[in-house]
Amino acid sequence: MTALINTKFEASIQQMQQSVTFPSGTVKYLFQSSFEKFLQTCDKQHTVLITNEHIAKLYPRLFKEYKTIVIPPVESSKDVLTVETLAKELLQIEATKKTIIIGIGGGVVTDITGFLGSVYMRGVSFGFVPTTLLGMVDAAIGGKNGVNIGMNKNILGTISQPRFILFDTRFLHTLPDDEWSNGFAEIIKYACIFDADMYAELSRNTISYYKKKDDKALIKLIERCVEWKNKTVLEDEKENGIRKLLNFGHTAAHAIENLYELPHGKAVGIGMVIACMISEKLTGLDKTIAENLKNLLSQYHLPVSFKIDAAKAMQLLRMDKKRIDDSIEYILLERVGKAVVKPLPFDVIENALSQYESDNRTW
Ligand code: ADP
Ligand code: ZN
């Protein structure tokens, strides 16, 4: 563990009530907390903040007194060139092994911060302050820090845990509606694979219910998703078994988001319905579930119809990391709250992709 000289900061993260110890490190969690207050415990000389242009503009006060590196607010920032640029900036501001790097932003910012933090001088302490719902329930959790090479997502990466993750839901007040929906796609994913009660809760509510500023429901929901992700990662940090279930909806989604530049959450929504359609055939999933899921997705403003060029999508899927010969390990549902991994032949997947759009499915 990197030596930290910042005792005030250390004391402050020691006070975080919840912590989880993974093989690659212990993470402290601070739910419902003020980042502004937390920042006051970080000494200016040994703290570097990384954020993106949107957040820097929306919250200028936070960054006034600290060394801050700002990256463009686009997925293309998540690449090796940005890592090199950031490392050069760290050298220029004389960041040492005692520096704490804090990433404040969505998945792009926290991924790049985690990657940089785990390789700069062979590793320095880093922490995350996710500012998107998707970041809070998924991207910032689990210790995977990846960067892309072109269309190949997260092809270079590390498994290395942040020292802390701070959840300040005030950031969500400025989050665009579309980004709320993207976050809910991942929340619905946890419900489908692990948690039928959460699925029922989501079915009863809407985005505006969770958006209510003084409502505790959102933070509860976030904590529950973090718990599910941590439980899964704890059992399987290197993704040999149960962690694969988190890929529910993601195999098709990765192909669709690359082909059509669809936002991740929207593509995951479509991918989950496709996985349900396949499940009806292969795991005996109740035939009402795919339709029910579509209703839930539209309740959270996620698309439920999209024309997919199945042949093109298959070209991409053939390059999927989960390919084994002529099949792909696919995550299917047995019922809401219970997912399984099954190898699927390419033709079964292609069939489902081409059938997706029509509501009068013959499945
Ligand atoms: P994720 O991977 O978590 O979805 P990204 O890093 O791709 O997140 O961010 C999605 C978009 O939302 C980016 O344009 C980012 O600048 C913007 N964004 C992130 N957090 C906020 C926020 N709290 N308020 C407004 N915009 C935000
Ligand atoms: Zn995802």
Side-chain angles (χ1 to χ4, degrees), residues 307-319:
K307 180 87 191 115
I308 301 164
D309 184 329
K312 275 195 182 156
M314 284 315 292
Q315 274 175 7
L316 290 174
L317 282 173
R318 280 173 214 278
M319 299 188 303

Side-chain angles (χ1 to χ4, degrees), residues 52 54-55 58-59 73 106-109 131-132 134-135 171 174-176 179:
N52 77 24
H54 287 157
I55 304 290
L58 284 166
Y59 302 92
V108 172
V109 168
T131 61
T132 62
L134 194 144
F171 282 111
T174 55
L175 192 69
E179 298 297 338

Side-chain angles (χ1 to χ4, degrees), residues 9-172:
F9 165 85
E10 278 299 297
S12 143
I13 68 165
Q14 286 318 320
Q15 274 168 15
M16 294 183 177
Q17 284 120 0
Q18 300 187 38
S19 76
V20 178
T21 299
F22 299 91
S24 63
T26 298
V27 187
K28 296 270 183 182
Y29 297 85
L30 198 51
F31 290 103
Q32 235 171 343
S33 188
S34 158
F35 176 55
E36 193 165 12
K37 276 200 186 131
F38 175 81
L39 204 50
Q40 288 161 11
T41 69
C42 301
D43 104 51
K44 297 192 176 77
Q45 201 194 337
H46 296 100
T47 305
V48 175
L49 309 182
I50 298 182
T51 191
N52 77 24
E53 287 161 11
H54 287 157
I55 304 290
K57 240 186 227 149
L58 284 166
Y59 302 92
R61 219 173 62 194
L62 288 179
F63 303 100
K64 238 178 24 214
E65 294 176 21
Y66 286 81
K67 291 172 195 159
T68 303
I69 309 178
V70 181
I71 63 172
V74 283
E75 173 79 15
S76 57
S77 291
K78 225 182 89 158
D79 67 354
V80 185
L81 192 67
T82 309
V83 175
E84 190 185 352
T85 310
L86 292 179
K88 282 180 180 158
E89 293 199 40
L90 287 181
L91 285 171
Q92 207 176 11
I93 55 183
E94 298 180 355
T96 66
K97 277 188 85 73
K98 286 173 180 155
T99 300
I100 299 147
I101 306 178
I102 305 179
I104 305 114
V108 172
V109 168
T110 52
D111 256 44
I112 205 114
T113 302
F115 188 91
L116 183 70
S118 44
V119 296
Y120 183 74
M121 296 190 171
R122 296 203 185 88
V124 295
S125 288
F126 58 93
F128 295 154
V129 183
T131 61
T132 62
L133 184 58
L134 194 144
M136 291 182 190
V137 298
D138 184 29
I141 321 296
K144 280 190 185 174
N145 312 292
V147 295
N148 307 332
I149 296 193
M151 292 234 293
N152 298 297
K153 307 255 181 212
N154 302 318
I155 216 73
L156 299 182
T158 63
I159 294 187
S160 166
Q161 300 290 345
R163 293 288 307 283
F164 69 89
I165 306 175
L166 184 146
F167 300 80
D168 186 343
T169 46
R170 269 162 290 204
F171 282 111
L172 300 179

Side-chain angles (χ1 to χ4, degrees), residues 138 186 250 264:
D138 184 29
E186 298 288 353
H250 279 59
H264 182 69

